[in-house]
Amino acid sequence: MNYFPDEVIEQVFDYVTSHQDRNSISLVCKSWYRIERLSRQRVFIGNCYSISPDKVIERFPAIRSLSLKGKPHFADFNLVPYDWGGHVYPWIVAMAKSKVNLEEIRLKRMVVSDESLELISSSFANFTSLVLVSCEGFTTNGLKAVAANCSLLRELDLQENEVEDHRSQWLNHFPESSTSLVTLNFSCLKGEINLAALERLVARSPNLKTLRVNRAVTLDSLQKILSWAPQLMDLGVGSFIHDPDSETFYKLKNTIVQCKSITSLSGFLEVAPYCLPAIYPVCSNLTSLNLSYALGIPASELIKLIRHCKRLQRLWILDCIGDKGLEVVASNCKDLQELRVFPSDPFGAGNTVVTEEGLVAISFGCKKLNSLLYFCHQMTNAALITVANNCPNFVRFRLCILDPTKADPLTQQPLDEGFGAIVQSCKGLKRLSLSGLLTDMVFLYIGMYAEQLEMLSVAFAGKSDKGMIYVLNGCKKLRKLEVRDSPFGDAALLADPGKYETMRSLWMSSCEVTLGACKALARKMPMLNVEIIDDSELTVDEALCGGAPVAVTADGDDKQKVEKMYLYRTLAGPRNDAPEFVCTL
Amino acid sequence: MDGVTGKGETGPKFFCFVQGNSKDYLMSGDGGSSRKGASSSEERTLELKLGPPGGEEEFWAIKEYGKSSYFSHVASVQKGINNNMNSGQKFSADPAPKANGSSGSQKRTASPVMGWPPIRSSRRNLSSSSSLKLPPKFPHVVQDKISLEKPAENKGKGLFVKINMEGVPIGRKVNLKACDSYEKLASSVDQLFRGLLAAQWDSTGIETKQDNEKPISGVLDGSGEYTLVYEDNEGDMILVGDVPWDMFVSTVKRLHVLKSSELSATNFNQNKQEKGSFKT
């Protein structure tokens, strides 16, 4: 290959698109490293604190698309204090200053300020794509800037963000000349929307393929929108309540019939079950259906709907569908690949709506299933073993038993054998979340069999340090390990310090790890940031609202237990934006 | 789910014993009261003990954990949690968390484990923010759900609330901070709508005369042609004037001026339906 001119090699590299592959080819030799880095356009940084923005720009001057992730995953469940970090602003500043031709920014679990959004909208002339997932820190004023200034905007995708509504009428700020939108998703916004402005925007966006609206968009507005955009492929409905005898509803039914391209349906943030039949005509084309925010639809209606959806590949649903409903899914949706069943009443009395029976039924009917997130009230080893035998193709298997230390109700045994069967059968398993009563045995199985495992989530499991050690020793491809409320301590933490340089991060909270061990690890491994997060002086509410922080230091009794520890490999050294309650050792 | 009340908050009435090392607190049935050390033998017989029958009278105590959740300290001391007290496995180290023994569907309480179940906040609040009160068939829908979401606009020192009058298609906004009493509010209503109402008569073809501009009065006591009602933060329609002014200001979301003659419970719904939506 060294006999080819660089341009030829570069052409070949154009076909190599996955980040991991490009990382690999950059390691082959110096000239490949150079050619690769100068031609890389899409850069993915899995931990925004692992490297400084300047270094990224230096290495990849041709960067057009930046993807960043910030907070640890457990931040989704309020385990990471507000203000921990994950600010995108320094990245935007650096990119703007260096005048790179940034076109796309994709952020997950980061703090995005209005200033950041304003800077994005004013710094990058060819900016086309903004995707924010589980972010916070911005308001509708920031969106106003993006709408107004990004004249080439094709994609504005806001997924499950916390956005403050400042009644900015941001939608009105898309100029009349803006006709390039392909994706518009504002389903997570809580405030009002100027419906007329939205209708006009849709009318002048002939390329619009994805539109997901928020609760403020009514059914009659939806009807008008759909009449302007019959080419839509992905629709997220806001409010779906209307008098089914009305003219508007009649018009809607006719309009929907014209939307022959819709393959993905979601939202129904407010819905009256008697309105659902209006969508039956599109069900036969649906490959993706997300009703996980649609509270108030009884199981019988859900079942009627599902019977129309024979081509579903992805289904996100609430557990009120029940085991019987899942049996209907199993018999109707033979192409199903991904299933997520969410709890409709997480803290309610245990009206056992879904149990292991529903999952077993799914495993018999949906042989192509490869991704699962399942909240249930109980699980048995027998069921897990059956599922493992029926569905060997799992790539993601996440089980959440609502009572986190519940044993197998038939045998009173831990669920070690069940999960063991899963990891043994599913040779391609990359992500696993455990729950239920579990001893060290399950970790022995994971270490032995889960060769492709990249991410493991552990809660209230295990009996001793051995559990964690089995995993660290056995899972060669492990990248992220997150543990809470499990009896893993210093011996586990220090068993293989070098391992953490092969991983992105480790989170341990409410375990048995002491300050002394964390300090020892930090001393030994200078390429790791070992952060101690101590918000224990705050009440839960204060912690969530950024209450008065307590300065955490490395002084203190080495034997004292560390409540929350987050460590990650980094080239950037200790971060300079850590709040008072975070101490990098 | 069992909860712990380490800080003495009112909690579920479950027994909850965890091995501790420092203080000896006993969680009693009425939650929260703590007694040091040995209690009387009579009290001992009333308390659940976790240990081999007839074995040592070792009292499991709750560690001082501050705000730590129940599961976080159970998990941190146990080497093998076993939900079933009768399993016969070793008890020397570890207690069963459900000290009241029964499994199956226990009523869960409002003090869940921190961060459990692992769902996002947007899903967590689903059942509380969504109304399950949708009746089976329109048009008896009581509440316009969208208008529930509308907060009163707070522009600095003003508290601007939408106000619509029956028969007048254009709404107004009234600054509640500028009124300090119901009387002031009533006179604002008159100021805002007198002209508009007169203009409505114009549009129906009746001769315009200055004296068609009648003052709008009696909105608070039912004596006038119109009556003032409001929608509160729970979406309910309430007659203006029942609660102290400050309480009214803190809960009001929007105002309606309705014809007194047509004021009745069912007519609320029909009026709303006829007007169409109250949305922007």
Side-chain angles (χ1 to χ4, degrees):
Chain A
M1 280 294 258
N2 283 342
Y3 301 118
F4 290 116
D6 289 358
E7 295 76 23
V8 174
I9 300 182
E10 197 179 309
Q11 291 268 333
V12 175
F13 286 179
D14 271 351
Y15 292 100
V16 182
T17 49
S18 96
H19 301 291
Q20 282 174 336
D21 287 343
R22 287 201 76 112
N23 290 344
S24 301
I25 62 179
S26 69
L27 294 174
V28 167
C29 63
K30 279 204 185 125
S31 70
W32 279 31
Y33 176 88
R34 176 179 45 84
I35 298 169
E36 194 283 317
R37 82 173 183 89
L38 293 175
S39 61
R40 187 166 339 187
Q41 295 183 348
R42 309 185 64 84
V43 179
F44 168 76
I45 310 281
N47 174 3
C48 63
Y49 290 121
S50 62
I51 190 161
S52 75
D54 294 321
K55 285 264 158 53
V56 174
I57 298 168
E58 198 186 307
R59 181 169 169 190
F60 303 116
I63 182 175
R64 300 235 187 130
S65 164
L66 174 68
S67 302
L68 283 175
K69 292 191 181 179
K71 300 187 199 179
H73 174 239
F74 275 171
D76 283 352
F77 319 130
N78 298 334
L79 287 179
V80 178
Y82 179 78
D83 264 2
W84 171 85
H87 300 278
V88 77
Y89 190 65
W91 287 83
I92 310 298
V93 167
M95 298 266 152
K97 226 192 267 180
S98 68
K99 307 210 189 311
V100 291
N101 182 18
L102 204 57
E103 295 175 357
E104 176 180 274
I105 293 178
R106 311 170 75 97
L107 305 176
K108 186 166 187 182
R109 261 178 243 118
M110 296 202 66
V111 177
V112 181
S113 59
D114 282 346
E115 287 81 20
S116 307
L117 292 177
E118 282 152 21
L119 192 55
I120 290 172
S121 74
S122 58
S123 309
F124 308 114
N126 294 326
F127 196 73
T128 56
S129 209
L130 183 65
V131 180
L132 302 178
V133 181
S134 301
C135 297
E136 59 175 0
F138 60 105
T139 76
T140 47
N141 287 334
L143 295 179
K144 190 162 69 169
V146 173
N149 302 327
C150 301
S151 51
L152 298 176
L153 196 69
R154 291 207 287 262
E155 190 177 1
L156 179 60
D157 190 354
L158 307 172
Q159 300 176 28
E160 301 189 315
N161 303 291
E162 291 286 330
V163 185
E164 253 181 58
D165 180 39
H166 283 200
R167 305 172 89 79
S168 321
Q169 301 284 26
W170 61 278
L171 259 184
N172 301 20
H173 289 261
F174 279 102
E176 288 301 314
S177 54
S178 156
T179 56
S180 45
L181 273 181
V182 176
T183 296
L184 179 62
N185 173 7
F186 58 92
S187 51
C188 61
L189 295 189
K190 299 200 188 77
E192 294 296 318
I193 284 291
N194 185 321
L195 298 176
L198 175 62
E199 289 155 24
R200 285 196 303 273
L201 179 62
V202 171
R204 65 178 187 275
S205 303
N207 299 320
L208 195 67
K209 291 283 186 296
T210 296
L211 178 66
R212 298 190 183 189
V213 301
N214 74 347
R215 220 167 163 147
V217 177
T218 60
L219 188 140
D220 50 69
S221 190
L222 178 69
Q223 186 274 321
K224 295 192 195 122
I225 288 168
L226 288 179
S227 65
W228 285 114
Q231 79 283 1
L232 274 182
M233 294 175 64
D234 182 324
L235 175 65
V237 172
S239 172
F240 206 69
I241 303 177
H242 215 278
D243 178 357
D245 296 326
S246 68
E247 163 126 10
T248 304
F249 196 76
Y250 177 75
K251 275 199 275 187
L252 174 75
K253 283 197 284 194
N254 289 338
T255 311
I256 286 187
V257 168
Q258 302 305 319
C259 298
K260 302 193 191 300
S261 305
I262 294 184
T263 55
S264 170
L265 203 53
S266 61
F268 296 94
L269 307 173
E270 271 190 353
V271 56
Y274 48 79
C275 292
L276 279 180
I279 61 169
Y280 289 173
V282 294
C283 288
S284 53
N285 286 333
L286 283 185
T287 55
S288 170
L289 178 62
N290 180 353
L291 293 174
S292 61
Y293 282 102
L295 203 59
I297 307 181
S300 53
E301 289 299 321
L302 287 174
I303 288 172
K304 274 200 266 176
L305 185 63
I306 296 284
R307 286 198 201 281
H308 286 87
C309 306
K310 303 248 183 250
R311 293 216 195 136
L312 271 189
Q313 294 172 16
R314 170 166 36 178
L315 176 63
W316 291 24
I317 201 127
L318 289 170
D319 63 358
C320 32
I321 194 174
D323 285 333
K324 287 279 172 276
L326 289 177
E327 282 168 34
V328 175
V329 173
S331 57
N332 266 286
C333 309
K334 294 302 181 191
D335 287 339
L336 197 67
Q337 293 177 28
E338 178 179 330
L339 175 67
R340 296 199 187 190
V341 180
F342 291 95
S344 49
D345 195 7
F347 310 112
N351 309 315
T352 37
V353 278
V354 295
T355 67
E356 75 278 10
E357 291 181 14
L359 185 59
V360 168
I362 292 281
S363 75
F364 276 112
C366 308
K367 298 291 187 181
K368 297 188 190 172
L369 199 63
N370 60 43
S371 177
L372 180 75
L373 173 60
Y374 195 77
F375 286 82
C376 58
H377 284 267
Q378 64 181 45
M379 184 54 59
T380 64
N381 282 312
L384 284 174
I385 293 169
T386 306
V387 170
N389 287 334
N390 286 341
C391 298
N393 298 319
F394 276 116
V395 173
R396 280 180 292 278
F397 190 89
R398 298 160 68 188
L399 184 69
C400 179
I401 303 171
L402 289 167
D403 178 352
T405 55
K406 194 169 163 108
D408 179 334
L410 295 180
T411 63
Q412 309 309 325
Q413 292 302 304
L415 293 176
D416 301 331
E417 298 305 308
F419 280 106
I422 294 285
V423 291
Q424 200 175 352
S425 164
C426 304
K427 309 229 186 294
L429 193 68
K430 290 195 181 171
R431 183 166 178 183
L432 178 64
S433 301
L434 306 170
S435 63
L437 182 63
L438 295 163
T439 70
D440 288 341
M441 276 306 284
V442 69
F443 298 107
L444 177 65
Y445 292 139
I446 292 172
M448 273 170 64
Y449 295 112
E451 291 175 9
Q452 303 299 319
L453 195 67
E454 297 181 5
M455 181 167 176
L456 180 64
S457 306
V458 178
F460 307 101
K463 289 170 84 164
S464 76
D465 289 324
K466 284 202 270 193
M468 183 162 153
I469 294 174
Y470 291 142
V471 171
L472 293 174
N473 284 344
C475 300
K476 298 293 176 219
K477 298 217 175 160
L478 194 66
R479 293 193 293 118
K480 286 182 283 185
L481 177 60
E482 47 185 24
V483 184
R484 62 166 294 183
D485 294 274
S486 302
F488 304 142
D490 298 345
L493 182 69
L494 297 174
D496 184 2
K499 173 79 175 171
Y500 306 126
E501 276 189 357
T502 69
M503 291 167 56
R504 183 185 299 170
S505 64
L506 168 68
W507 169 280
M508 293 181 76
S509 61
S510 306
C511 297
E512 299 291 306
V513 171
T514 66
L515 183 60
C518 294
K519 283 199 234 175
L521 182 60
R523 266 196 304 272
K524 189 156 186 187
M525 306 292 302
M527 302 291 261
L528 299 181
N529 276 357
V530 180
E531 290 189 7
I532 307 299
I533 302 165
D534 189 355
D535 54 351
S536 58
E537 290 295 316
L538 309 173
T539 63
V540 172
D541 290 319
E542 280 172 352
L544 288 179
C545 303
V550 174
V552 175
T553 61
D555 322 313
D557 181 9
D558 277 4
K559 292 214 189 39
Q560 114 203 15
K561 296 259 170 66
V562 163
E563 185 56 33
K564 294 178 185 175
M565 180 210 70
Y566 181 56
L567 66 80
Y568 49 91
R569 66 180 176 190
T570 178
L571 295 173
R575 54 189 177 105
N576 54 14
D577 64 353
E580 283 199 321
F581 51 81
V582 173
C583 172
T584 308
L585 297 175
Chain B
M1 205 183 289
D2 295 359
V4 106
T5 62
K7 278 194 169 160
E9 315 139 3
T10 51
K13 297 178 174 28
F14 294 120
F15 291 97
C16 171
F17 293 87
V18 175
Q19 183 176 21
N21 48 23
S22 47
K23 305 189 181 175
D24 277 24
Y25 283 83
L26 291 172
M27 181 70 91
S28 72
D30 41 348
S33 70
S34 53
R35 294 161 297 188
K36 268 214 154 175
S39 29
S40 72
S41 54
E42 186 189 72
E43 284 169 321
R44 284 189 193 200
T45 58
L46 293 175
E47 284 149 5
L48 283 184
K49 286 183 299 236
L50 301 171
E56 305 121 25
E57 301 282 341
E58 215 178 299
F59 282 98
W60 307 114
I62 294 169
K63 264 190 206 179
E64 270 281 274
Y65 256 87
K67 75 152 177 63
S68 257
S69 64
Y70 166 70
F71 278 104
S72 79
H73 61 242
V74 166
S76 65
V77 297
Q78 50 90 16
K79 293 191 172 72
I81 286 184
N82 190 328
N83 276 350
N84 188 337
M85 282 175 62
N86 302 322
S87 73
Q89 289 191 2
K90 58 176 172 160
F91 277 103
S92 52
D94 310 290
K98 286 202 174 137
N100 66 356
S102 65
S103 55
S105 49
Q106 292 184 43
K107 188 149 190 5
R108 300 184 196 286
T109 69
S111 50
V113 178
M114 168 74 158
W116 192 269
I119 51 175
R120 295 168 190 273
S121 325
S122 51
R123 295 193 188 278
R124 209 170 275 270
N125 301 326
L126 206 55
S127 40
S128 50
S129 62
S130 202
S131 165
L132 299 171
K133 297 182 280 189
L134 271 182
K137 205 76 178 157
F138 224 87
H140 304 297
V141 175
V142 174
Q143 300 158 0
D144 178 14
K145 295 296 279 98
I146 298 294
S147 49
L148 271 185
E149 312 294 339
K150 285 191 189 164
E153 185 166 16
N154 210 323
K155 283 182 185 156
K157 295 227 166 25
L159 183 63
F160 287 87
V161 176
K162 281 189 192 165
I163 175 166
N164 286 82
M165 184 168 203
E166 196 177 333
V168 179
I170 308 272
R172 303 293 306 259
K173 275 204 168 169
V174 59
N175 183 0
L176 290 179
K177 288 250 160 76
C179 318
D180 55 12
S181 68
Y182 285 119
E183 283 66 41
K184 289 260 174 61
L185 174 61
S187 70
S188 303
V189 171
D190 180 38
Q191 278 171 9
L192 291 171
F193 283 107
R194 194 195 290 194
L196 285 176
L197 194 58
Q200 286 302 103
W201 283 109
D202 290 351
S203 66
T204 61
I206 297 176
E207 210 172 83
T208 316
K209 275 193 275 196
Q210 284 290 54
D211 17 317
N212 269 351
E213 278 204 20
K214 295 185 300 186
I216 303 168
S217 60
V219 293
L220 293 174
D221 55 12
S223 66
E225 201 183 325
Y226 291 91
T227 299
L228 196 55
V229 305
Y230 73 101
E231 215 174 296
D232 72 358
N233 51 7
E234 290 174 339
D236 297 320
M237 296 288 263
I238 307 181
L239 273 176
V240 164
D242 286 341
V243 302
W245 173 254
D246 292 319
M247 193 189 295
F248 165 71
V249 170
S250 67
T251 57
V252 62
K253 290 298 166 219
R254 49 186 312 163
L255 287 156
H256 299 283
V257 188
L258 303 177
K259 290 219 175 81
S260 308
S261 54
E262 295 189 36
L263 221 57
S264 71
T266 40
N267 281 342
F268 269 152
N269 311 331
Q270 286 174 7
N271 284 341
K272 293 180 77 131
Q273 196 193 329
E274 280 153 17
K275 279 194 219 194
S277 64
F278 288 123
K279 312 169 182 78
T280 30

